[in-house]
Amino acid sequence: MEKFGHRAGRREFVPVRASGVADCGAPLLEKLGRGGSARLWPLVVADGLASIPAELDDLAPDSPIDYCPFDTAFRL
């Protein structure tokens, strides 16, 4: 995972793509830009969302983060 820039004080959901697997078995995440109604491309190519809690500031590349993959989090 690259550095996630984040300002503490609000929860943020970021479009991400799993780009590999860490030695511990956790997915390595690639940030795909900022989502939003005017910027849909990151959501189109994403395979999930990362959730950055409000109490955290910027996250270093090796920081654990909540990851909601689309294929299991939103089954229809």
Side-chain angles (χ1 to χ4, degrees), residues 11-29:
R11 178 173 294 276
E12 184 174 359
F13 293 92
V14 181
V16 294
R17 176 174 41 209
S19 60
V21 179
D23 292 338
C24 66
L28 298 173
L29 303 177

Side-chain angles (χ1 to χ4, degrees), residues 18-75:
S19 60
V21 179
D23 292 338
C24 66
L28 298 173
L29 303 177
E30 173 187 359
K31 184 177 178 181
L32 297 173
R34 301 186 63 82
S37 60
R39 297 175 295 245
L40 292 176
W41 182 247
L43 291 171
V44 170
V45 298
D47 62 10
L49 295 174
S51 173
I52 304 172
E55 61 273 7
L56 296 181
D57 207 349
D58 292 346
L59 297 174
D62 59 348
S63 298
I65 192 168
D66 289 334
Y67 171 57
C68 301
F70 292 149
D71 65 344
T72 58
F74 302 104
R75 289 187 187 211

